[in-house]
Amino acid sequence: MPVLNEVDYLQRAVETVLAQEVDGPAELILALAPSTDGTDELARRLAATHDSVVLVDNPEADIPVGLNLAIRAGRYPTIVRVDAHSELEPDYTRRAIGTLDRMRAANVGGVMRADGRSPFQRAVARAYNSPIGLGGGAYHGGTQEGEAESAYLGVMRRSVLDEVGLFDESIRRGEDWELNLRIRRAGYRVWFDPALSVTYWPRESWSRLVRQFSATGRWRGELVRRFGRGNSLRFFAPPLLVVDVLLAIVVGLLQVTGVLTGWWSAAASVVYLPIVAYVLLIVAVSIGSGGGHGWRDKLWTAAVLPTMHLSWGWGFVVGLVRGAHDTVDTSRLGSRNTPLP
């Protein structure tokens, strides 16, 4: 578990891991980046209370670096990746290991079930859980068990990781997708089991949501640069929307200034149609059952969905054109400007 500035979530996350029942010994390794909110002190108290909690330092504060440090410190043949912003269902690990053996898979993942504590966070959670919000990936609400492109978090065989290599430390977002690509290319199976469920707590504020999705989108663009069409086509919908919005702004300015007139203006106005269709889709989703209960929930949903799509899409366009370079997710910055997992 990579950890940084998670004082409001860490204890519950650790408790749900320690409550897992497995056949044989287990340990929880926390890769601690430098925190500014008391997380390190909380982690040390938890380690002092529970012999199975092990701490390793992650001074670089990067997720893949922290994951690799924790994996290398581990002693057992099965790796269960967990997140400080999540909570495991009571039988998650036992069921996942059973599926790992039953399907002879190298990595098994389940469903990310987002939840929220505030009206904004609950709106983000609804977007996460909706096929409209994040593109309909299996772990955002899939119901059919089967082979998968990637796995949320993941329960992995250590022997396979040793063979294909650990997480690529040059990739700061989307590192799980890239690792699963190597696993699949090596001839191993990545498996989705909808019976597995993890509660995930999304970002709590608008600015943090924008920063998270912008960084994630930029790294997805970088992955497309590196691996081409190995990415799902669903990733291209938000950047196409962003490009269309930019084109619509240019066309609008040319029409207002009189540069575009007559038939040329009418033909160029076709760029508005996808935007109108998108707005109608957001309205339909927001006023429907997926928008929550009551007009406040529905307004939050109508605001959050475009925020996620446009910030992710803009990040993707920038990443595709310029690459990600040293882009980090700054959505959980501490006072020392340290990026969080």
Side-chain angles (χ1 to χ4, degrees), residues 92 96 99 107-113 137-142 148 150-155 191-198:
Y92 173 85
T99 301
N107 190 10
V108 169
V111 177
M112 172 203 282
R113 299 204 183 279
Y139 57 82
H140 291 301
S150 188
Y152 174 57
L153 298 180
V155 177
W191 196 259
F192 170 71
D193 184 353
L196 304 174
S197 178
V198 179

Side-chain angles (χ1 to χ4, degrees), residues 243-261 264-272 275:
V243 170
D244 189 66
V245 169
L246 294 175
L247 287 175
I249 292 173
V250 172
V251 169
L253 290 174
L254 293 176
Q255 289 172 331
V256 168
T257 57
V259 176
L260 272 180
T261 59
W264 286 108
S265 177
S269 295
V270 72
V271 298
Y272 300 132
I275 298 172

Side-chain angles (χ1 to χ4, degrees), residues 85-102:
H85 235 55
S86 65
E87 298 177 11
L88 302 184
E89 292 296 310
D91 60 347
Y92 173 85
T93 303
R94 183 170 55 189
R95 293 186 68 115
I97 292 175
T99 301
L100 199 69
D101 293 337
R102 173 171 58 88

Side-chain angles (χ1 to χ4, degrees), residues 131-254:
I132 301 299
L134 289 177
Y139 57 82
H140 291 301
T143 58
Q144 297 297 316
E145 185 176 14
E147 291 196 47
E149 180 182 35
S150 188
Y152 174 57
L153 298 180
V155 177
M156 298 164 274
R157 297 186 189 275
R158 173 65 178 266
S159 60
V160 174
L161 295 184
D162 289 339
E163 177 183 337
V164 305
L166 304 185
F167 290 93
D168 186 338
E169 296 182 4
S170 73
I171 299 175
R172 293 180 170 179
R173 302 292 295 180
E175 72 287 340
D176 49 351
W177 181 89
E178 188 276 336
L179 174 61
N180 282 291
L181 176 64
R182 278 186 280 129
I183 290 174
R184 290 185 289 110
R185 286 181 172 177
Y188 295 102
R189 177 178 288 175
V190 177
W191 196 259
F192 170 71
D193 184 353
L196 304 174
S197 178
V198 179
T199 299
Y200 171 76
W201 301 96
R203 299 300 189 265
E204 307 93 336
S205 74
W206 220 305
S207 62
R208 292 185 174 190
L209 182 68
V210 170
R211 282 182 281 161
Q212 177 198 17
F213 271 72
S214 296
T216 303
R218 185 158 182 177
W219 272 107
R220 185 60 62 177
E222 171 68 26
L223 292 177
V224 171
R225 284 169 61 98
R226 294 192 190 189
F227 303 105
R229 297 183 61 184
N231 291 264
S232 172
L233 291 176
R234 72 177 183 271
F235 295 131
F236 293 91
L240 288 175
L241 173 64
V242 167
V243 170
D244 189 66
V245 169
L246 294 175
L247 287 175
I249 292 173
V250 172
V251 169
L253 290 174
L254 293 176

